[in-house]
Amino acid sequence: MTLDSTTQQNIDQWLSGPYDAATKATIQELIAKGDQTTLTDSFYKSLEFGTGGMRGEMGVGSNRMNKYTVGAATQGFANYLNASLPGQKIKVAIAHDSRNNSPEFTRIAADIFTANGIEVFLFPALRPTPQLSFTVRHLGCQAGLVITASHNPKEYNGYKAYWSDGSQVVAPHDKNIVKEVNAITSIADIKFEGNDALLHLLDGSIDEAYLQTILVNCRQPEVIKRQKDLKIVFSPIHGTGITLVPQALQMLGFEALTVVEEQAEPNGNFPTVIYPNPEEKEALTLALNKAKAIDADLVIATDPDADRVGAAVKSPDGEWALLNGNQMASLILYYLLKVSDLKGNEFAAKTIVTTDLIDKMCASKGVPCYNTLTGFKYIAQVIRELEGKEKFLGGGEESYGYLIGDAVRDKDAVASCAMIAELTAYAKDQGKSLFDFLAEMYVENNFYYEGLISLTKKGKAGAEEIKQMMINLRSNVPATVAGSKPVRVLDYEGLVSTDLLTGETTPIKVGLGIEASNVIQLILADGSKVSARPSGTEPKIKFYVSVNAPLASAADFFTVYAELQKKVGVIQEDLGLV
């Protein structure tokens, strides 16, 4: 078995260094088996602490989530906090999801923070990620941490770092924390022995305070009273949603909630699904079966850390259809724009790969909509910079993350479940289904349809392949796509917009959620848009396609839908993605 020099050097370091016996024994087992693939992927590099944290498969090795990589990340984070906030009494709030090893990683992080003289406010049991965001602000903490890998498969875990505004860290703190983490070159630099005098366990008062912010978001309490029997099926998919989503819905006045019992218990093995991802229909199978059995009005399901929510609604043919993230983000903004008492200082925010339907609806109401890079930390950055001057109405991203109001500064599935239930009740109060509400929105604003292709490219070879795909797209813009000529390229890495008809270039303005990033967008002459973006947290490259057409009436819904679906498929074929 021959390994490259970096991989072998990292393996030797772990076998000879002060790592625990169980870790060394596992490495030796892999060597004895001759498992070159696992050894390479586990040791060919150090698990990267990116600008928002890190995520990876659990296991031994420098490129895996384990006590040592979590320890190095936390020590670097603690070093940065102490260096950048000298003389301050530093407080950090910590939460975790339902994944395997999440409680253990959480306690390791808590001990390291306290060992470095930092006060820790720790949730004693699993809680949603948005509640951690709220808690950072509520308790006046300087930072926060969630141990979670969101909707990734069961083999994964992760580490999400937050700053004092409740947002995932942004510039300059993000890159400065990365420097401090990378400066930890030996586990001897990590202070694992905690100081319990600086550790505080949080109680139910934080739950109550957070739930009150959801109550404040409610726009139509009288409608909910009339529609209190709205039949809602909810699944937490074995995650943290079970802790607060049912409470939030009941607090608002919904009395006909059915929880999918088979998926109610938190379990890091996610035994009833292949992936704990509410974007996948398979993950909602049990919820959809339950909805059919009781003739429900709405299905909602949250991912393991309850920052994303998927929803399903019955269509006119009686079948249940999943709404995608673009549709739900649009419906939430459509509802908020329709029923809110707008004062003229409101704004919305979304990411550049999220449907332009939201921009169009906001413009029709005179509400600015700010477009940011992918990631809710950029939406939070806009909220922070406009705080006190403009009021955040709501926003979202195509990957099933939404936010209403500014009490939380990350995507919030708990608050979103409440708002989705409310807007469904609003539609029913008018004799409509949620599907009818969707069609109404499209008739008023055009039918926007988006397609996503996500290509997984694992390991070192995969990373190189993704890099080359982006190079090829930048250097070889196709002459036509689905019969339409590309007229503009927006390259966020170089922060330049190029008019392909004139060759004229203009800079893309930095600020309010925009900075240099490895994203390319092609704008076609017919108004279609193609975006390409390597994932920052997973071994994937994503291609987003957006098309639109008028919808004359709800009766034409499926005809126009089929036409737009076909067009997205042609665009994907022309780009060599299928």
Side-chain angles (χ1 to χ4, degrees), residues 371 381-382 385 508-515:
N371 281 262
Q381 184 182 40
V382 175
E385 293 187 23
I508 296 173
K509 188 177 180 181
V510 175
L512 285 178
I514 296 294
E515 61 186 22

PDB file of all heavy atoms in Angstrom, residues 371 381-382 385 508-515:
ATOM      1  N   ASN A 371     -30.229  41.237  -2.686  1.00  0.00           N
ATOM      2  CA  ASN A 371     -29.719  39.928  -3.091  1.00  0.00           C
ATOM      3  C   ASN A 371     -28.319  39.734  -2.527  1.00  0.00           C
ATOM      4  O   ASN A 371     -27.461  40.608  -2.680  1.00  0.00           O
ATOM      5  CB  ASN A 371     -29.702  39.823  -4.608  1.00  0.00           C
ATOM      6  CG  ASN A 371     -31.069  39.518  -5.181  1.00  0.00           C
ATOM      7  OD1 ASN A 371     -31.388  38.371  -5.477  1.00  0.00           O
ATOM      8  ND2 ASN A 371     -31.915  40.542  -5.318  1.00  0.00           N
ATOM      9  N   GLN A 381     -26.172  39.740   7.564  1.00  0.00           N
ATOM     10  CA  GLN A 381     -25.302  40.910   7.430  1.00  0.00           C
ATOM     11  C   GLN A 381     -26.106  42.118   6.938  1.00  0.00           C
ATOM     12  O   GLN A 381     -25.922  43.240   7.429  1.00  0.00           O
ATOM     13  CB  GLN A 381     -24.169  40.593   6.456  1.00  0.00           C
ATOM     14  CG  GLN A 381     -23.131  41.698   6.311  1.00  0.00           C
ATOM     15  CD  GLN A 381     -22.061  41.330   5.293  1.00  0.00           C
ATOM     16  OE1 GLN A 381     -22.349  40.763   4.248  1.00  0.00           O
ATOM     17  NE2 GLN A 381     -20.811  41.633   5.613  1.00  0.00           N
ATOM     18  N   VAL A 382     -27.001  41.903   5.992  1.00  0.00           N
ATOM     19  CA  VAL A 382     -27.857  42.982   5.506  1.00  0.00           C
ATOM     20  C   VAL A 382     -28.743  43.498   6.639  1.00  0.00           C
ATOM     21  O   VAL A 382     -28.886  44.717   6.839  1.00  0.00           O
ATOM     22  CB  VAL A 382     -28.722  42.503   4.319  1.00  0.00           C
ATOM     23  CG1 VAL A 382     -29.698  43.597   3.898  1.00  0.00           C
ATOM     24  CG2 VAL A 382     -27.852  42.097   3.144  1.00  0.00           C
ATOM     25  N   GLU A 385     -26.639  45.608   9.022  1.00  0.00           N
ATOM     26  CA  GLU A 385     -26.206  46.901   8.493  1.00  0.00           C
ATOM     27  C   GLU A 385     -27.360  47.891   8.332  1.00  0.00           C
ATOM     28  O   GLU A 385     -27.154  49.103   8.357  1.00  0.00           O
ATOM     29  CB  GLU A 385     -25.475  46.693   7.169  1.00  0.00           C
ATOM     30  CG  GLU A 385     -24.134  45.959   7.347  1.00  0.00           C
ATOM     31  CD  GLU A 385     -23.328  45.892   6.061  1.00  0.00           C
ATOM     32  OE1 GLU A 385     -23.541  46.738   5.178  1.00  0.00           O
ATOM     33  OE2 GLU A 385     -22.477  44.988   5.955  1.00  0.00           O
ATOM     34  N   ILE A 508     -19.139  44.481  -9.958  1.00  0.00           N
ATOM     35  CA  ILE A 508     -20.222  44.089  -9.050  1.00  0.00           C
ATOM     36  C   ILE A 508     -19.915  44.706  -7.691  1.00  0.00           C
ATOM     37  O   ILE A 508     -18.843  44.479  -7.129  1.00  0.00           O
ATOM     38  CB  ILE A 508     -20.332  42.557  -8.937  1.00  0.00           C
ATOM     39  CG1 ILE A 508     -20.723  41.956 -10.300  1.00  0.00           C
ATOM     40  CG2 ILE A 508     -21.341  42.168  -7.867  1.00  0.00           C
ATOM     41  CD1 ILE A 508     -20.685  40.443 -10.332  1.00  0.00           C
ATOM     42  N   LYS A 509     -20.824  45.487  -7.193  1.00  0.00           N
ATOM     43  CA  LYS A 509     -20.585  46.252  -5.974  1.00  0.00           C
ATOM     44  C   LYS A 509     -20.477  45.354  -4.747  1.00  0.00           C
ATOM     45  O   LYS A 509     -21.316  44.478  -4.525  1.00  0.00           O
ATOM     46  CB  LYS A 509     -21.702  47.285  -5.767  1.00  0.00           C
ATOM     47  CG  LYS A 509     -21.439  48.259  -4.638  1.00  0.00           C
ATOM     48  CD  LYS A 509     -22.554  49.295  -4.541  1.00  0.00           C
ATOM     49  CE  LYS A 509     -22.292  50.273  -3.402  1.00  0.00           C
ATOM     50  NZ  LYS A 509     -23.389  51.273  -3.288  1.00  0.00           N
ATOM     51  N   VAL A 510     -19.438  45.563  -3.971  1.00  0.00           N
ATOM     52  CA  VAL A 510     -19.225  44.812  -2.733  1.00  0.00           C
ATOM     53  C   VAL A 510     -20.000  45.490  -1.605  1.00  0.00           C
ATOM     54  O   VAL A 510     -20.113  46.705  -1.559  1.00  0.00           O
ATOM     55  CB  VAL A 510     -17.723  44.751  -2.386  1.00  0.00           C
ATOM     56  CG1 VAL A 510     -17.505  44.087  -1.032  1.00  0.00           C
ATOM     57  CG2 VAL A 510     -16.963  44.013  -3.480  1.00  0.00           C
ATOM     58  N   GLY A 511     -20.512  44.686  -0.686  1.00  0.00           N
ATOM     59  CA  GLY A 511     -21.236  45.221   0.459  1.00  0.00           C
ATOM     60  C   GLY A 511     -22.653  44.706   0.501  1.00  0.00           C
ATOM     61  O   GLY A 511     -23.186  44.195  -0.494  1.00  0.00           O
ATOM     62  N   LEU A 512     -23.324  44.821   1.662  1.00  0.00           N
ATOM     63  CA  LEU A 512     -24.689  44.342   1.865  1.00  0.00           C
ATOM     64  C   LEU A 512     -24.860  42.917   1.335  1.00  0.00           C
ATOM     65  O   LEU A 512     -25.676  42.636   0.461  1.00  0.00           O
ATOM     66  CB  LEU A 512     -25.699  45.285   1.215  1.00  0.00           C
ATOM     67  CG  LEU A 512     -25.956  46.607   1.953  1.00  0.00           C
ATOM     68  CD1 LEU A 512     -26.935  47.478   1.180  1.00  0.00           C
ATOM     69  CD2 LEU A 512     -26.494  46.356   3.359  1.00  0.00           C
ATOM     70  N   GLY A 513     -24.037  42.020   1.867  1.00  0.00           N
ATOM     71  CA  GLY A 513     -24.168  40.613   1.544  1.00  0.00           C
ATOM     72  C   GLY A 513     -23.437  40.155   0.307  1.00  0.00           C
ATOM     73  O   GLY A 513     -23.596  39.005  -0.119  1.00  0.00           O
ATOM     74  N   ILE A 514     -22.638  41.025  -0.296  1.00  0.00           N
ATOM     75  CA  ILE A 514     -21.890  40.658  -1.504  1.00  0.00           C
ATOM     76  C   ILE A 514     -20.401  40.846  -1.270  1.00  0.00           C
ATOM     77  O   ILE A 514     -19.953  41.902  -0.807  1.00  0.00           O
ATOM     78  CB  ILE A 514     -22.324  41.503  -2.715  1.00  0.00           C
ATOM     79  CG1 ILE A 514     -23.784  41.235  -3.069  1.00  0.00           C
ATOM     80  CG2 ILE A 514     -21.425  41.243  -3.915  1.00  0.00           C
ATOM     81  CD1 ILE A 514     -24.076  39.825  -3.566  1.00  0.00           C
ATOM     82  N   GLU A 515     -19.626  39.816  -1.576  1.00  0.00           N
ATOM     83  CA  GLU A 515     -18.169  39.864  -1.558  1.00  0.00           C
ATOM     84  C   GLU A 515     -17.682  38.882  -2.608  1.00  0.00           C
ATOM     85  O   GLU A 515     -18.481  38.214  -3.262  1.00  0.00           O
ATOM     86  CB  GLU A 515     -17.619  39.512  -0.171  1.00  0.00           C
ATOM     87  CG  GLU A 515     -17.978  38.111   0.292  1.00  0.00           C
ATOM     88  CD  GLU A 515     -17.560  37.809   1.727  1.00  0.00           C
ATOM     89  OE1 GLU A 515     -17.374  38.755   2.502  1.00  0.00           O
ATOM     90  OE2 GLU A 515     -17.420  36.617   2.059  1.00  0.00           O
TER      91      GLU A 515
END
